[in-house]
């Protein structure tokens, strides 16, 4: 699994370097800004990590990577596990950076918002990874656009919800954040099993 994980990470690394520089610049701007929650940067993070990992299926098709993995003992499962590990890491990074962003902007509900955003990214992976394994990156692209658009809308809504903490949101938002992460992780376990079954039966 480690080799497949590192291969996927290496493919998205150039984009990660560019995004890291972008985030540093934006972080400096936020630190000296008195504006509200950085909805744009959070939206960018969620969409970037989701689309980058789902875009790996196009690399798979172009280089016949799944057929190569199938030729290795246990390769099909290891390939799936590696990609899910990278997806979990991406969700963790989104959660962490969202929390840091909220901290820089002194948002009292920052941790809760971070959990909500991380859970949404997990939910997107839970849905899209099995579909991508089943139909491939090209055929599932339309579905991906719909899912990512839905994620963008949900992130925008959550950005506005953050301000509700002063109106009683402190009661339900922590529970909602924890529930979102728990649902995303539980969904990842089910999604991984489905993806494994798809790959085990897929003719390559």
């Amino acid at each position: 699994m480690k080799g497949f994980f590192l291969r996927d990470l290496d493919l998205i690394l150039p984009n990660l370097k560019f995004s890291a520089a972008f985030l540093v610049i934006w972080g400096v701007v936020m630190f000296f800004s008195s504006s509200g929650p950085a909805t744009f940067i959070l939206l960018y993070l969620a969409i970037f990590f989701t689309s980058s990992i789902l875009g790996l299926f196009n690399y798979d098709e172009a280089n016949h990577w799944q057929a190569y993995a199938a030729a290795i003992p246990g390769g099909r499962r290891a390939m799936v596990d590696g990609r899910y590990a990278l997806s979990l890491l991406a969700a963790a990074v989104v959660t962490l950076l969202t929390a840091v962003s909220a901290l820089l902007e002194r948002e009292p509900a920052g941790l809760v918002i971070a959990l909500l955003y991380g859970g949404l990214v997990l939910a997107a992976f839970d849905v899209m990874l099995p579909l991508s394994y089943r139909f491939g990156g090209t055929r599932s692209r339309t579905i991906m656009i719909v899912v990512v658009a839905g994620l963008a809308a949900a992130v925008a809504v959550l950005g506005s919800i953050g301000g509700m903490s002063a109106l009683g949101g402190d009661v339900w938002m922590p529970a909602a954040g924890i529930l979102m992460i728990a649902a995303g992780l539980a969904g990842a376990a089910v999604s991984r099993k489905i993806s494994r079954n798809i790959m085990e039966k897929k003719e390559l």
Side-chain angles (χ1 to χ4, degrees), residues 57 60-61 65-67 69-71 76 79-80 83 129-140 194-204:
F57 287 94
D60 293 347
E61 294 176 2
W65 185 249
Q66 292 183 357
R76 293 177 187 245
M79 176 182 60
V80 171
R83 190 148 299 174
L129 287 177
L131 290 175
S132 297
Y133 277 116
R134 176 64 180 85
F135 299 108
T138 302
R139 294 177 62 189
S140 62
I194 294 173
S195 295
R196 276 185 163 195
N197 290 336
I198 291 171
M199 286 307 300
E200 288 292 340
K201 299 175 181 178
K202 194 170 185 177
E203 294 185 6
L204 300 171

Side-chain angles (χ1 to χ4, degrees), residues 93-134:
V93 170
V94 169
T95 303
L96 176 62
L97 292 180
T98 303
V100 171
S101 172
L103 179 64
L104 289 174
E105 293 208 344
R106 300 170 180 85
E107 167 58 51
L111 179 58
V112 176
I113 295 174
L115 292 176
L116 290 171
Y117 281 31
L120 284 173
V121 172
L122 282 174
F125 285 132
D126 294 346
V127 173
M128 284 306 306
L129 287 177
L131 290 175
S132 297
Y133 277 116
R134 176 64 180 85

Side-chain angles (χ1 to χ4, degrees), residues 46-179:
I47 292 178
F48 169 77
F49 280 105
T50 304
S51 60
S52 294
I53 293 180
L54 294 177
L56 291 172
F57 287 94
N58 294 323
Y59 285 99
D60 293 347
E61 294 176 2
N63 298 286
H64 308 287
W65 185 249
Q66 292 183 357
Y68 168 77
I72 302 174
R76 293 177 187 245
R77 289 193 171 193
M79 176 182 60
V80 171
D81 290 348
R83 190 148 299 174
Y84 271 84
L86 185 60
S87 299
L88 290 174
L89 176 61
V93 170
V94 169
T95 303
L96 176 62
L97 292 180
T98 303
V100 171
S101 172
L103 179 64
L104 289 174
E105 293 208 344
R106 300 170 180 85
E107 167 58 51
L111 179 58
V112 176
I113 295 174
L115 292 176
L116 290 171
Y117 281 31
L120 284 173
V121 172
L122 282 174
F125 285 132
D126 294 346
V127 173
M128 284 306 306
L129 287 177
L131 290 175
S132 297
Y133 277 116
R134 176 64 180 85
F135 299 108
T138 302
R139 294 177 62 189
S140 62
R141 187 173 300 167
T142 302
I143 304 175
M144 181 184 77
I145 293 174
V146 173
V147 172
V148 171
L151 176 64
V155 167
V157 170
L158 288 175
S160 63
I161 288 178
M164 294 178 61
S165 58
L167 301 175
D170 287 335
V171 176
W172 61 269
M173 283 188 69
I178 295 173
L179 180 61

